[in-house]
Amino acid sequence: MFHRTESIDDIGLSRILQTDKSNTISSLTKVICTIGVKSRTVEELSKLLEAGMSVARFDFSWGSHKYHTETLMNLRQAMKNTKILCATMLDTFGSEVAVRLAAEDVSSFDKDAPKTPLEMKKGNKVVLSVCNDREDQKKMVATSEFFPVVNCDSLCEIVAVGDSIFIGQYLFTGSETSSVYLTVESIDLENKEIVCTCNNDALMRGVLLTVQISNVGEKLPTISRHDENDIVNWGVKNNVDFISLSFTDSAEDVRKCRQILDEHKSFHTKICAKIERASALKNIDEIIQEADGVIISRGNLGTELPAEKVFILQKMILARCNYAGKHAIVARLVDTMAEAPRPTRAEATDVA
C-alpha cells in the first residue's frame, strides 16, 4: 500500500507563504498589450516593456494610419531605450459594425470628444443610417434619435424586421447602463436607413460604439476593403509580426489574408484567427489548422452565447490549439485596469 511521506514543506505549501522577491516572467506565457491613448508615449511604452509586454497590439477599429505610425515610432524608440524587443500585432476592423460619435482620430480624452452622453429612453425610436464615405461621416452628427453606422454597406440588406441589435460599450466597460438594445421596426433600402425601437434606458458615452446584430455575422465579409488597405499599406509597410484577423468564420478567411500577405512578400507575418462569433465554432478545427494561432474573444462570444458556455468553449479551444502546437490567446483578461491600478482577485486567478 502506498503511504504519503511528504511533509508540507516537501510539497511546497510553505513556499506559498514566503515573499517572492524574484522578478521572473514565464517564458511560455506572453503578454499582449493593446496600446491606448495614454500608453502610447515613449515613457509609458518603456514601462510596459520593462513590466513584461511581449506583443504590442494596434487596434485598427479606431485611428488613422498616421496616428498608429506615430505610436509605432514611439514603441521602436522605447525598445531602443530599454534594449527590450517586442513584437507588433495589427488587429483588423473586420466585419465589426460601429457607430462613430466623433471624428476618426478623436479619443475620449481629447478636447473635441463629446462632452455629454447621448440619453437613450425605452420606447423611443432611433434611426440607424448607413454611411461609409469618410467625407460624409464628418458631416453626420450622432444624436439620441440618429446613429451614423460605418463599415457595413449591406446592413439594410442583411437585417430583417424583428431582429435584435445591440449597440454600446458593453465590450469595453462591461456596464449594461452604457448599452442599448434595439428592435428593428422598418427598413428603408433606398435611403439606407433602419428604424428601431429602444428596449432600455442607457447613456451612450465615448467616441466609438460597437454594433452587434443577432445571427447575421456570417453574412458580413471578414476582410473588407478597409482591412485590406490597413494590411497592405500599414501592416506590410511596417513589417508587423502578427495579423489579428477579426471575426474569422472559416479557414478560407485565413487563406485570403495569407494570400494578401504573400502577394506583397510579407512571408514572415503570422496570422491569428480571432474567434468572435458562434458561427466560427462550426469550423474551429479547420481554422486552427490553417492559422498560426487563435484568439478567443470572450467579449463578443458572450453576446451570442450564454455566459456559462463561453468558459467551456475557452477550455476546448485552448486544448485543441495546444494539441496542434498553435498560439492560443485569451482576450480581455484584466478589464478593470481602465479604472484601478490593481486587478481583482478574480482577474488574477483568470490569468493564472
Side-chain angles (χ1 to χ4, degrees):
M1 181 180 292
F2 173 77
H3 295 281
R4 180 178 292 277
T5 59
E6 301 96 328
S7 66
I8 289 179
D9 285 345
D10 291 332
I11 59 177
L13 291 179
S14 63
R15 294 186 61 188
I16 296 175
L17 302 177
Q18 297 176 1
T19 301
D20 186 4
K21 296 182 179 179
S22 66
N23 191 29
T24 57
I25 299 173
S26 168
S27 61
L28 294 177
T29 303
K30 307 299 181 182
V31 179
I32 301 175
C33 300
T34 300
I35 307 304
V37 176
K38 290 191 173 182
S39 60
R40 65 191 294 253
T41 64
V42 175
E43 181 183 2
E44 290 300 320
L45 289 167
S46 297
K47 291 178 182 179
L48 288 173
L49 290 169
E50 291 169 345
M53 176 173 68
S54 308
V55 182
R57 171 180 172 265
F58 295 80
D59 185 1
F60 272 75
S61 65
W62 179 87
S64 65
H65 286 194
K66 179 183 177 183
Y67 173 88
H68 289 299
T69 300
E70 290 172 356
T71 306
L72 180 60
M73 293 302 103
N74 288 345
L75 174 64
R76 288 176 175 168
Q77 184 61 48
M79 286 192 284
K80 184 177 180 180
N81 294 349
T82 60
K83 297 181 173 59
I84 299 174
L85 295 178
C86 176
T88 52
M89 174 181 283
L90 186 162
D91 197 318
T92 64
F93 201 162
S95 55
E96 183 174 41
V97 185
V99 172
R100 290 198 187 279
L101 301 184
E104 188 174 42
D105 273 352
V106 173
S107 75
S108 299
F109 306 100
D110 291 343
K111 60 180 179 60
D112 295 328
K115 299 297 186 295
T116 57
L118 299 180
E119 186 174 2
M120 312 299 293
K121 289 291 185 181
K122 183 177 180 180
N124 285 1
K125 302 295 182 182
V126 58
V127 175
L128 307 183
S129 180
V130 176
C131 176
N132 285 305
D133 184 274
R134 294 200 171 187
E135 291 303 316
D136 289 342
Q137 289 174 18
K138 295 177 182 179
K139 302 173 186 176
M140 288 188 167
V141 178
T143 67
S144 57
E145 293 85 28
F146 179 84
F147 281 176
V149 179
V150 299
N151 202 40
C152 187
D153 290 318
S154 58
L155 182 63
C156 293
E157 286 77 24
I158 62 177
V159 299
V161 173
D163 277 354
S164 297
I165 297 179
F166 163 91
I167 301 178
Q169 287 190 299
Y170 177 84
L171 303 183
F172 306 121
T173 65
S175 173
E176 290 288 341
T177 58
S178 61
S179 310
V180 65
Y181 294 84
L182 309 175
T183 300
V184 177
E185 300 294 342
S186 62
I187 302 167
D188 185 344
L189 292 174
E190 183 177 352
N191 294 313
K192 292 189 175 183
E193 292 184 343
I194 302 169
V195 179
C196 305
T197 299
C198 295
N199 295 319
N200 66 297
D201 295 342
L203 295 176
M204 315 301 283
R205 294 182 172 88
V207 296
L208 186 72
L209 305 176
T210 296
V211 180
Q212 293 286 332
I213 310 161
S214 58
N215 303 315
V216 300
E218 64 275 9
K219 299 178 183 178
L220 299 170
T222 298
I223 303 178
S224 65
R225 294 191 303 272
H226 178 89
D227 295 322
E228 187 168 351
N229 176 58
D230 291 340
I231 292 171
V232 173
N233 294 316
W234 197 88
V236 173
K237 179 180 177 181
N238 290 295
N239 295 312
V240 297
D241 300 290
F242 296 97
I243 297 292
S244 170
L245 192 59
S246 297
F247 296 96
T248 301
D249 272 327
S250 67
E252 183 57 35
D253 294 333
V254 181
R255 285 190 285 268
K256 182 178 179 182
C257 182
R258 199 177 301 280
Q259 181 182 354
I260 294 171
L261 293 171
D262 290 348
E263 287 174 353
H264 293 84
K265 306 295 188 295
S266 186
F267 303 112
H268 73 284
T269 302
K270 305 299 183 183
I271 301 171
C272 292
K274 204 170 181 183
I275 307 303
E276 306 190 63
R277 292 200 182 98
S279 56
L281 301 172
K282 302 172 186 176
N283 309 308
I284 191 62
D285 288 324
E286 293 82 2
I287 291 173
I288 292 173
Q289 182 178 0
E290 190 66 34
D292 298 298
V294 166
I295 300 174
I296 307 168
S297 181
R298 302 182 297 181
N300 282 330
L301 282 172
T303 65
E304 295 196 8
L305 296 168
E308 64 273 15
K309 290 188 176 180
V310 175
F311 167 75
I312 299 173
L313 289 169
Q314 175 180 318
K315 299 288 284 185
M316 179 270 289
I317 295 173
L318 287 174
R320 295 190 182 194
C321 285
N322 288 332
Y323 183 78
K326 301 295 181 77
H327 301 300
I329 302 166
V330 181
R332 305 197 61 80
L333 285 174
V334 193
D335 274 354
T336 60
M337 67 169 60
E339 306 290 340
R342 293 173 61 86
T344 66
R345 290 159 185 77
E347 287 173 332
T349 304
D350 197 12
V351 172

